[in-house]
């Protein structure tokens, strides 16, 4: 028998009304940031079990992460004393797996199927492509396997055709949609033949099972007296279709916040939560807005961000604070990104050393819209020896594309550096370690025989013959770019020698920033488009690398510094794996977290919101993202932006972000 719970005593009035809402009527709980969303959901489960006489096995709890599922079930266990195994609870994918193991034979899925992880499913897709279209990966305009899988997955989760998915999310891909559709069908056939399911199958086949076998749908629809869904705003079209079938009776309790829907790029559809009442006309919406996290001043600022968010009258809400008054959010304008980093580091040192009582570094988070905006912040933290961690990401100089770009310059500066050559050349299709070795050895042989440099030998026909056919059309551009940089390096070094005037005058002079631009604007950027879904953000990283290179007078100083950042940064990470350290992360990575002190850097137009999102019309999601960032702060919120940013060969004068610029100036303090 579940333990007695005094719900009125344990919950605030808004939570109590939401928790005790009838189980047989659709309920949407709009739980604002920091308002006790998980508490509301777990107490609703406890109410069903303890007060409504519903058995644990008659409830289905759906979440988006295993961590959230385990946390929720453990809290329910602590409240009710009911063992967690008695509930049907887990992620959408894990519950889909459970359904298919039990009922999948009704649609031809045997219960002993295996689940391919992300790496295995990518390999399987690659094999399918090579079988039905051997030349597919040889054409540089076609996406590589990882990106190809992303396209197909996005299509499946949004229930779009391949053509519509490409138009919606992958418009830069030149491959005809029908070619990718053919590959998708072959990939599906191979999975069915091999009794294999990938992660998307766990949802697709679950939906198909409920749709095509009414008896299964009706049986489980009757069994579950309520289906509880966490983070409802993050559901995609396919997940919502599953819920529609499973909850025909209307016994659904969805908890979410439309203002925190920030994953459309992953397929999340904000219309699912906004159209809840249209989907369930007899449903009710409950608002939970008492915030236990942030100060009134931070919440006033955050509420103002949402004033421009059009979500309908039923969804209008305003967070109220349970805490006492404290500091207003602070706005700091810096001259540029380096000045911004110094100001934030100064602030951190003051908070951790001069404040009474002082904050710990682990109390502090530095948030940014995209990784490329954090380079100077990372460098400043390292320079001052302030321990920090990059959450769910790599430090700037440890990212693959940055290391690839630097390795091209390193090889151009030192053609005996085979490691650097192998590093970037393997980015070309069909080139691995062995092929890279063969290409390099042939270049060395040609160089010795013809008495030319190894770099010059890269353009030789004998070397090109060692390059796989899939990369042969690109390799001449690789060789030409290396030669340009190599000659510029030689000229740069020769300028310090007595015989400098003997060096060929036709070779253009290049500073380190020009060499970075040469390698980044070449074949590599073109290849990235078909390798990475986030290639546009990676290209912006090159702007930061260019700006970093502009600080050095010669190429050897740049390479030495970049190499040290790569090696020393990795060493610091190992030393700081444990202990007190500040957190650096994108706003997406901060979702669900909270910190006493939050810095939002780069809060300027074109940076937050991103210029790309402004151009694509995604400003409202950027607004929600800024709201999420602001509501991570408990005690102190500091927002900074650089007045000037530098790109490849130009500087931009930045205006303040529209998201805070239009807010009443009484709600924050200026520190400039």
């Amino acid at each position: 028998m579940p333990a007695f719970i005094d719900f009125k005593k344990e919950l605030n009035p808004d939570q109590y009304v939401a928790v005790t809402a009838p189980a047989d009527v659709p309920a949407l709980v709009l739980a604002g940031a920091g308002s006790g969303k998980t508490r509301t959901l777990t107490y609703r489960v406890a109410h069903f079990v303890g007060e409504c006489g519903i058995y644990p096995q008659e409830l289905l709890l759906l979440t988006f992460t295993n961590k959230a599922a385990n946390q929720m079930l453990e809290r329910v266990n602590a409240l009710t004393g009911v063992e967690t195994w008695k509930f049907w609870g887990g992620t959408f994918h894990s519950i889909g797996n459970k359904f298919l193991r039990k009922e999948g034979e009704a649609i031809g899925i045997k219960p002993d199927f295996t689940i391919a992880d992300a790496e295995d499913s990518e390999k399987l897709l690659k094999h399918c492509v090579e079988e039905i279209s051997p030349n597919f990966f040889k054409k540089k305009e076609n996406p590589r396997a990882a990106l190809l899988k992303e396209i197909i997955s996005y299509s499946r989760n949004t229930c779009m055709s391949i053509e519509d998915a490409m138009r919606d999310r992958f418009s830069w891909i030149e491959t005809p949609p029908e070619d990718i559709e053919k590959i998708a069908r072959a990939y599906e056939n191979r999975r069915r033949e091999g009794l294999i399911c990938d992660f998307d199958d766990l949802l697709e086949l679950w939906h198909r099972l409920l749709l095509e076998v009414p008896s299964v749908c009706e049986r489980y629809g009757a069994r579950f007296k309520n289906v509880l869904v966490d983070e409802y705003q993050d559901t995609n079209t396919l997940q919502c279709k599953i819920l529609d079938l499973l909850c025909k009776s209307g016994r659904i309790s969805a908890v979410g916040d439309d203002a925190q829907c920030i994953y459309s790029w992953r397929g999340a559809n904000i219309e699912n939560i906004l159209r809840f009442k249209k989907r369930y006309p007899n449903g009710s919406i409950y608002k939970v807005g008492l915030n236990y996290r942030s100060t009134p001043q931070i919440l006033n600022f955050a509420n103002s961000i949402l004033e421009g968010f059009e979500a309908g009258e039923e969804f209008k809400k305003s967070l109220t604070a349970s805490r006492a008054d404290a500091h207003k959010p602070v706005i700091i304008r810096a001259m540029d990104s380096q000045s911004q980093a110094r100001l934030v580091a100064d602030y951190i040192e003051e908070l951790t050393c001069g404040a009474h009582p002082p904050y710990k570094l682990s109390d502090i988070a530095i948030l940014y819209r995209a990784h490329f905006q954090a380079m100077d912040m990372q460098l400043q933290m390292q320079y001052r020896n302030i321990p920090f961690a990059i959450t769910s990401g790599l430090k700037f100089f440890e990212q693959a594309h940055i290391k690839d770009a630097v390795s091209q310059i390193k090889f151009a500066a030192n053609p005996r550096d085979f490691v650097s050559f192998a590093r970037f050349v393997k980015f070309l299709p069909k080139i691995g370690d062995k092929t890279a070795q063969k290409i390099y050895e042939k270049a060395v042989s040609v160089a010795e025989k013809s008495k030319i440099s190894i770099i010059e030998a890269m353009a030789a026909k004998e070397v090109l013959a060692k390059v796989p056919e899939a990369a042969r059309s690109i390799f001449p551009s690789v060789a030409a770019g290396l030669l340009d940089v190599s000659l510029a390096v030689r000229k740069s070094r020769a300028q310090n020698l007595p015989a400098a005037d003997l060096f060929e005058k036709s070779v253009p002079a290049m500073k380190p920033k020009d060499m970075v631009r040469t390698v980044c604007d070449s074949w590599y950027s073109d290849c990235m488009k078909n390798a990475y879904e986030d290639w546009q953000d990676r290209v912006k990283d090159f702007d930061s690398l260019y700006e970093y290179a502009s600080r050095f007078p010669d190429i050897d100083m740049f390479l030495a510094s970049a190499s040290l950042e790569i090696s020393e940064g990795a060493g610091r990470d190992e030393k700081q794996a444990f202990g007190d350290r500040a957190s650096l992360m994108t706003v997406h990575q901060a979702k669900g977290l909270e910190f006493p002190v939050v810095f939002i850097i780069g809060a300027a137009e074109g940076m937050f919101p991103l210029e790309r999102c402004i151009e694509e019309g995604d400003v409202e999601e950027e607004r929600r993202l800024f709201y999420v960032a602001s509501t991570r702060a408990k005690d102190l919120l500091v927002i900074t932006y650089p007045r000037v940013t530098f790109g490849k060969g130009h500087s931009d004068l930045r205006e303040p972000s529209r998201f805070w610029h239009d807010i009443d100036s009484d709600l924050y303090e200026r520190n400039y």
Side-chain angles (χ1 to χ4, degrees), residues 142-159:
N142 288 335
R144 297 191 185 182
L147 183 54
L148 183 62
K149 186 172 180 297
E150 287 291 333
I151 296 170
I152 296 172
S153 178
Y154 186 79
S155 165
R156 297 166 72 186
N157 281 280
T158 57
C159 300

Side-chain angles (χ1 to χ4, degrees), residues 8 46 76 117 159 186 212 264 300 305 313 328 398 418 423-426 461 477 485 510 571 607 627:
K8 278 196 173 180
V76 170
D117 61 23
C159 300
E212 296 182 3
S264 68
N300 290 338
I305 296 169
E313 193 64 33
K328 291 181 181 180
E398 293 169 5
F418 169 73
R423 164 88 214 182
F424 68 80
V425 82
K426 286 191 293 183
K461 291 181 180 180
S477 296
V485 176
M510 283 192 191
M607 299 179 72
Y627 170 80

Side-chain angles (χ1 to χ4, degrees), residues 1 121 249 416 500 502 605:
M1 182 74 181
S121 57
S249 62
R416 292 291 175 182
L502 299 178
E605 280 293 291

Side-chain angles (χ1 to χ4, degrees), residues 15 103 106 129 172 590 614 638 670:
Q15 290 174 335
E103 310 287 350
V129 174
W172 69 89
I614 296 172
V638 180
R670 284 189 173 93

Side-chain angles (χ1 to χ4, degrees), residues 612-623:
R612 167 171 53 84
C613 295
I614 296 172
E615 293 172 352
E616 295 175 357
D618 293 336
V619 172
E620 286 311 303
E621 182 155 336
E622 292 286 289
R623 183 188 303 279

